[in-house]
Amino acid sequence: TEDSSFSLAMKVSKGGKKQPELVLERALDREKHSSFQMVLTATDGGDPARSGSAQIRVNVSDANDNAPVFNKSAYEAQVRENLPVGSLVLQVRAADADAGSNGRVSYFFGNAPESIRALFSIDSESGEVRTAGPLDFEERSKYSLGLEGRDGGGLTGHCEVQIDIIDENDNAPEITTLSLSSPVPEDAPPGTVVALLKVRDRDSGENGRVRCELPFSVVFSPLLSAF
């Protein structure tokens, strides 16, 4: 039976003995066809001719010719800065078309600095990225990680991960006295600046917007200026 991947060649020895040979005609791809079945028929020259046949099955063994491919080239996640250590951030997935160990993918960090590895970890089997240390929005609000998927034959695929940290209201306003006039003369006119204060909140957005007031005071009032 004909098959475009194979052909039949006849090798003739010095004694005239013929030896059929099955010859590969083109490159095989196990990921497309993992096996081939053919029937070889031998016919003699008698009258009537007689024939015999044999079934041939060719199994294609795997070569590590496919690198892992992530289902996304870039992953994004948002997590709160008070997330407990060990919490799941996201999970990456990569597929490899090869078989056996050649198709088994393990996950690792790329060229990530120690500061990244101190805050995040990745499970080499599942691809789960988890927190490994406390996150602080005020120190850093965004992280970019390079991850690597590696098969059993050493071929690798890559993806990028961006993690945005969401601010929590975990900082109280800080009040600093820049200048102070004390004591204050009793004849000081209303509107005299007695103290210059600086108020700062390290949080962002509404969490970092402060309001100053002097409750139950009829003598002093705050005069607010924006810088």
Side-chain angles (χ1 to χ4, degrees), residues 12-64:
V12 182
S13 65
K14 291 183 179 179
K17 183 179 180 179
K18 295 181 179 180
Q19 181 69 47
E21 293 182 339
L22 191 63
V23 180
L24 183 65
E25 287 293 324
R26 63 179 184 177
L28 302 178
D29 189 344
R30 189 204 63 84
E31 286 71 46
K32 292 182 179 179
H33 293 94
S34 60
S35 65
F36 297 84
Q37 290 190 6
M38 294 161 283
V39 176
L40 176 65
T41 302
T43 306
D44 64 19
D47 186 15
R50 295 184 177 271
S51 64
S53 62
Q55 188 175 26
I56 300 175
R57 181 182 179 91
V58 179
N59 294 319
V60 184
S61 60
D62 183 53
N64 191 29

Side-chain angles (χ1 to χ4, degrees), residues 6-136:
F6 300 92
S7 64
L8 188 65
M10 194 65 66
K11 183 179 180 181
V12 182
S13 65
K14 291 183 179 179
K17 183 179 180 179
K18 295 181 179 180
Q19 181 69 47
E21 293 182 339
L22 191 63
V23 180
L24 183 65
E25 287 293 324
R26 63 179 184 177
L28 302 178
D29 189 344
R30 189 204 63 84
E31 286 71 46
K32 292 182 179 179
H33 293 94
S34 60
S35 65
F36 297 84
Q37 290 190 6
M38 294 161 283
V39 176
L40 176 65
T41 302
T43 306
D44 64 19
D47 186 15
R50 295 184 177 271
S51 64
S53 62
Q55 188 175 26
I56 300 175
R57 181 182 179 91
V58 179
N59 294 319
V60 184
S61 60
D62 183 53
N64 191 29
D65 56 350
N66 292 279
V69 178
F70 284 89
N71 56 7
K72 293 182 181 179
S73 60
Y75 294 80
E76 295 181 354
Q78 291 184 333
V79 296
R80 296 189 175 276
E81 63 175 325
N82 62 354
L83 200 65
V85 173
S87 298
L88 178 65
V89 177
L90 56 87
Q91 184 177 21
V92 298
R93 287 287 189 186
D96 193 307
D98 293 316
S101 62
N102 290 336
R104 191 174 298 116
V105 182
S106 299
Y107 303 93
F108 304 92
F109 282 117
N111 296 324
E114 287 301 322
S115 59
I116 296 292
R117 298 173 187 267
L119 295 177
F120 301 98
S121 64
I122 184 169
D123 189 289
S124 61
E125 296 297 327
S126 65
E128 292 181 344
V129 177
R130 295 181 177 270
T131 56
L135 304 176
D136 190 345

Side-chain angles (χ1 to χ4, degrees), residues 138 168-175 199-203 207-208 210:
E138 286 69 43
E168 289 285 339
N169 191 22
D170 57 348
N171 292 280
E174 302 171 355
I175 302 176
V199 182
R200 176 174 178 259
D201 192 309
R202 298 179 65 212
D203 294 315
N207 293 334
V210 298

Side-chain angles (χ1 to χ4, degrees), residues 194 212-223:
V194 175
C212 299
E213 60 182 12
L214 291 173
F216 312 114
S217 176
V218 296
V219 180
F220 299 97
S221 64
L223 177 63

Side-chain angles (χ1 to χ4, degrees), residues 132-146:
L135 304 176
D136 190 345
F137 174 87
E138 286 69 43
E139 289 187 6
R140 190 168 175 180
S141 62
K142 184 177 296 185
Y143 295 89
S144 294
L145 319 177

